[in-house]
Amino acid sequence: MENRRKIVNNLNDITEKYFFLKKIFLSGCEIFKNDTLSNYCSFGIGGPADFIVKIHNEKSLITFLKYANSNFYVLGKGTNVLFSDEGYRGIIVLLTGEFKKIKILNDKILCGSGALLSEVLNFSIKNNLQGLEFCNGIPGTVGGAVYGNSGTRNIWLSSVIENIDIYKKNEKIHLNRKKIPFNYRYSGLNNCIISDVVFSLKKSNSNKNNKTLEVVNSTNYRLYSQPIFMPNAGSIFKNPNNMNVGKLIESMNLKGKRIGGAQISELHGNFIVNTGKASSKDVMLLINLIKKKARKQFNINLELEINIF
């Protein structure tokens, strides 16, 4: 797919519909016009967005929210999304710069929503703090992980969150963990932007080497059980009623099923991989095939874990 990336360096490049971006441009944010979304997601699928805006600090974010009058979506690392081949008619927002900060506060870690969850985990290990080990191997940013309440089947990120800061419209709101309706792969944090997160951890009673070994062993498990070396968006469906949806899909003899350039992983039934030239249509056909068979054979309505545009 042709890379249409074009950085805006002239105000004439900003269309009348999005002219409020002029104020963002003048505040020092980076703006890209008609950049392909396949460059910004782990699936490697997606057409051009009208604009992609990289916001570096809260001051610029407040300016953006004050004047934004059109569709926009805040994207983390793009590890759980499927974009259309036709692209996105709106603005994709990326939080970077100050939003990637990671700081230690005694037995707590304060981080921006743009920080990678893997980097926060490594930071906790270096500072002899425990509580985030279950996050090993989970890709993406802190903001995206909190929004989707990422984790394993048995432990979720909400278990170590103390509080978060969000922006709703152009108002900053501080939320204690108890005020957030967390559930399995759910946070209730819709129609807002997560800016900062505080994780409450514990000083490790074991030495750092043992903790590091625990992380390495977890990584080895993912290495042999998940297609981490092929473009994918992580788990496609949520586990229904404490069932293992990967094994459910395997029982329907769908592992390895291929449509166009998309394939249900031969390693894990709940992963769809891009073998090289998959389209969003290819992926959707596989998703709908899985959902149809699950309804027919087990009377189960599978719920998506990834976000589809």
Side-chain angles (χ1 to χ4, degrees):
M1 182 182 294
E2 179 185 0
N3 187 342
R4 305 183 187 183
R5 187 172 196 176
K6 179 182 180 183
I7 189 167
V8 172
N9 50 31
N10 187 319
L11 292 181
N12 292 329
D13 290 335
I14 299 176
T15 63
E16 183 176 349
K17 180 180 178 182
Y18 300 112
F19 200 67
F20 75 93
L21 289 180
K22 172 183 176 181
K23 297 181 181 296
I24 309 300
F25 176 84
L26 295 175
S27 73
C29 293
E30 296 176 274
I31 301 176
F32 299 87
K33 182 179 180 182
N34 293 328
D35 198 354
T36 49
L37 290 167
S38 59
N39 296 326
Y40 296 92
C41 65
S42 58
F43 238 146
I45 296 172
D50 287 346
F51 287 96
I52 291 175
V53 178
K54 292 185 178 181
I55 299 179
H56 299 272
N57 53 59
E58 290 199 36
K59 182 178 179 181
S60 296
L61 176 60
I62 292 170
T63 301
F64 176 85
L65 293 174
K66 182 178 179 180
Y67 294 101
N69 57 2
S70 58
N71 292 333
F72 69 90
Y73 177 78
V74 181
L75 183 68
K77 193 67 175 176
T79 55
N80 68 334
V81 295
L82 173 64
F83 287 113
S84 167
D85 299 310
E86 297 177 359
Y88 181 73
R89 303 284 69 77
I91 299 168
I92 296 293
V93 173
L94 303 175
L95 300 180
T96 184
E98 292 181 6
F99 294 103
K100 289 188 174 184
K101 66 179 179 290
I102 306 173
K103 299 178 180 180
I104 188 167
L105 303 171
N106 295 320
D107 58 349
K108 299 177 176 61
I109 289 180
L110 165 67
C111 52
S113 62
L116 290 177
L117 190 58
S118 58
E119 292 182 356
V120 178
L121 169 59
N122 290 335
F123 184 81
S124 71
I125 292 172
K126 290 178 181 178
N127 287 278
N128 206 30
L129 293 173
Q130 65 180 18
L132 285 171
E133 289 75 25
F134 70 93
C135 295
N136 182 55
I138 298 176
T141 61
V142 168
V146 171
Y147 176 78
N149 199 12
S150 297
T152 66
R153 277 182 290 169
N154 302 316
I155 182 169
W156 314 330
L157 203 59
S158 55
S159 66
V160 291
I161 290 175
E162 181 164 301
N163 56 66
I164 67 172
D165 289 332
I166 66 169
Y167 279 89
K168 202 153 190 175
K169 295 184 178 179
N170 60 344
E171 179 185 5
K172 188 172 185 177
I173 302 171
H174 183 77
L175 292 176
N176 184 273
R177 158 71 182 82
K178 295 178 180 179
K179 298 287 186 180
I180 307 169
F182 283 116
N183 209 325
Y184 174 65
R185 300 297 180 266
Y186 177 80
S187 68
L189 297 169
N190 301 318
N191 303 315
C192 68
I193 296 176
I194 300 168
S195 60
D196 297 300
V197 179
V198 173
F199 294 116
S200 181
L201 307 174
K202 296 179 181 179
K203 290 290 184 182
S204 175
N205 293 322
S206 58
N207 61 58
K208 294 181 182 180
N209 290 334
N210 287 340
K211 283 185 61 183
T212 303
L213 182 60
E214 181 182 348
V215 171
V216 170
N217 289 338
S218 175
T219 301
N220 289 339
Y221 170 77
R222 292 179 185 274
L223 178 67
Y224 292 106
S225 66
Q226 297 178 3
I228 61 176
F229 296 117
M230 297 189 73
N232 69 83
S235 296
I236 298 294
F237 298 102
K238 298 178 182 179
N239 286 310
N241 299 321
N242 296 318
M243 296 176 63
N244 186 316
V245 70
K247 293 185 182 302
L248 181 74
I249 293 170
E250 182 178 354
S251 72
M252 297 188 294
N253 296 317
L254 287 177
K255 282 178 72 173
K257 174 68 178 177
R258 183 168 178 164
I259 295 179
Q263 181 183 39
I264 299 174
S265 171
E266 295 177 339
L267 281 177
H268 196 303
N270 199 20
F271 282 70
I272 293 176
V273 298
N274 180 357
T275 62
K277 295 183 179 180
S279 67
S280 60
K281 182 179 178 181
D282 295 337
V283 176
M284 286 305 305
L285 286 172
L286 282 179
I287 287 173
N288 290 330
L289 173 64
I290 294 169
K291 293 177 72 172
K292 182 178 179 180
K293 281 207 165 194
R295 279 194 301 267
K296 183 177 181 180
Q297 294 185 26
F298 301 101
N299 195 29
I300 293 175
N301 291 313
L302 292 176
E303 184 179 353
L304 285 169
E305 185 167 324
I306 64 170
N307 297 303
I308 295 178
F309 293 82

